[in-house]
């Protein structure tokens, strides 16, 4: 199935807005090392409003808010990319493995999936945080381990349909191995579904990373939008809220919105049922 992703995003106002917001976040993250102030550097310019020296002012210990905002973008997008890829891979392997592994494997993996879907994610994350240090790798691992279940259900449903296709049946008839079926026949056909799953997983990772940092569960040494919000909230009664609290809140909201808009543009292209509904409404 050939789908012109770029043409769909470029031809839609919603897609252009989503893509523009995501590109802006990527540019902010790429510019972080070039910014003249280090995010952790202290100074005597405490709670200073925006100026030529500090474009977004300073916080309660004299750190440059703009530097923290840029480095926060870098961390959020890095976590989104890594956790999105790992979550999508786990969803694919679990969903496809359940179908190809036989009835016992299918039953076992689907009961595990149901259990993961039934327990609130934040509870699992807080429990895992007690055993896994939430540095970058640990954080990505925890987000992926708590986020693959919904995608696995979708992948399993798609693989159940695909395994009855002629080219898959032919490969099975000629004795193709499970690995061959998985990566040479099923993965290319299911790639569009995995793309949407990746976008949703990346959006979830950005939100979880900020949320955990806000709750103080994340890495205390890492600069994060969630950490900025948590620290700035203690000074909401001072004028500093306008240059310290608002920027990370707006940046987080716009980044989440960019993933949401891109997903809303691509999902109808990849789901025939949604395409039929759209045409029916014309």
């Amino acid at each position: 199935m050939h789908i012109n992703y770029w043409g769909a995003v470029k031809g839609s106002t919603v897609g252009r807005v989503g893509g523009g917001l995501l590109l802006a976040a990527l540019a902010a993250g790429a510019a972080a090392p070039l910014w003249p102030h280090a995010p952790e550097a202290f100074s005597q310019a405490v709670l200073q409003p925006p100026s030529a020296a500090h474009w977004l002012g300073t916080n309660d210990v004299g750190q440059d808010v703009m530097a923290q905002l840029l480095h926060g973008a870098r961390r959020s997008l890095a976590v989104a990319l890594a956790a999105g890829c790992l979550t999508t891979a786990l969803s694919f392997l679990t969903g496809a493995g359940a179908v190809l592994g036989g009835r016992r494997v299918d039953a076992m993996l689907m009961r595990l999936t149901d259990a993961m879907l039934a327990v609130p994610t934040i509870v699992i994350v807080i429990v895992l945080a007690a055993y896994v240090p939430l540095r970058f790798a640990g954080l990505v691992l925890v987000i992926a381990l708590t986020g693959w279940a919904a995608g696995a259900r979708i992948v399993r449903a798609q693989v159940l349909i695909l395994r009855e296709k002629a080219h898959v049946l032919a490969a099975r008839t000629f004795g193709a191995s499970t690995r061959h079926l998985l990566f040479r026949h099923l993965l290319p056909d299911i790639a569009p579904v995995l793309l949407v799953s990746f976008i949703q997983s990346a959006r979830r990772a950005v939100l979880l990373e900020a949320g955990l940092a806000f709750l103080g569960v994340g890495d205390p040494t890492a600069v994060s939008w969630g950490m900025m919000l948590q620290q700035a909230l203690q000074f909401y009664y001072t004028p500093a809220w306008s240059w310290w609290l608002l920027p990370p809140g707006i940046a987080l909201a716009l980044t989440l919105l960019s993933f949401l808009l891109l997903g809303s543009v691509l999902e109808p292209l990849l789901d025939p049922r949604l395409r039929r509904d759209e045409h029916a409404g014309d």
Side-chain angles (χ1 to χ4, degrees):
M1 178 171 60
H2 174 71
I3 297 175
N4 186 355
Y5 302 105
W6 172 245
V9 172
K10 190 178 175 183
S12 163
T13 303
V14 173
R16 289 196 296 272
V17 172
L21 291 174
L22 186 57
L23 284 176
L26 289 169
L34 306 176
W35 193 248
H37 301 285
E40 68 278 0
F42 300 103
S43 73
Q44 294 182 345
V46 175
L47 294 178
Q48 293 298 304
S51 63
H54 302 284
W55 289 12
L56 287 180
T58 60
N59 62 14
D60 61 325
V61 290
Q63 293 170 326
D64 187 78
V65 174
M66 185 69 180
Q68 293 196 326
L69 190 72
L70 296 178
H71 282 269
R74 195 178 182 85
R75 177 173 174 81
S76 288
L77 294 176
V79 170
L81 177 63
C85 289
L86 186 55
T87 304
T88 305
L90 289 175
S91 297
F92 172 69
L93 292 175
T94 305
V99 176
L100 299 179
R103 295 180 62 181
R104 288 186 178 180
V105 175
D106 185 26
M108 183 182 68
L109 289 178
M110 287 304 100
R111 296 298 80 75
L112 176 63
T113 302
D114 292 340
M116 293 297 296
L117 289 172
V119 181
T121 299
I122 193 66
V123 174
I124 303 176
V125 170
I126 291 176
V127 171
L128 287 175
Y131 300 96
V132 180
L134 292 186
R135 306 287 181 183
F136 181 82
L139 180 63
V140 168
L141 184 63
V142 166
I143 291 175
L145 288 176
T146 58
W148 56 268
R153 274 285 183 193
I154 297 172
V155 169
R156 178 179 178 273
Q158 294 294 320
V159 172
L160 282 172
I161 299 172
L162 289 173
R163 74 172 180 177
E164 303 302 327
K165 298 289 185 183
H167 64 289
V168 179
L169 288 173
R172 292 170 64 184
T173 303
F174 283 104
S177 65
T178 300
R179 182 177 178 180
H180 182 87
L181 288 173
L182 201 62
F183 293 103
R184 295 296 297 273
H185 294 281
L186 296 177
L187 182 58
D189 286 348
I190 210 170
V193 175
L194 295 180
L195 175 62
V196 173
S197 177
F198 168 77
I199 292 175
Q200 293 173 343
S201 299
R203 177 168 57 87
R204 174 178 173 276
V206 170
L207 185 60
L208 263 181
E209 190 275 333
L212 291 173
F214 183 82
L215 293 174
V217 182
D219 181 3
T221 63
V223 178
S224 163
W225 289 339
M227 181 201 69
M228 292 178 69
L229 287 170
Q230 190 236 20
Q231 293 176 347
L233 201 58
Q234 302 173 38
F235 294 83
Y236 73 92
Y237 53 85
T238 71
W241 70 269
S242 60
W243 68 78
W244 188 8
L245 183 62
L246 281 183
I250 293 173
L252 178 60
L254 292 180
T255 303
L256 293 173
L257 181 63
S258 70
F259 285 113
L260 184 65
L261 294 179
L262 288 175
S264 69
V265 171
L266 293 177
E267 194 167 6
L269 295 174
L270 308 176
D271 191 332
R273 292 168 301 178
L274 294 178
R275 286 204 300 273
R276 282 200 299 269
D277 292 343
E278 280 194 346
H279 292 312
D282 291 341

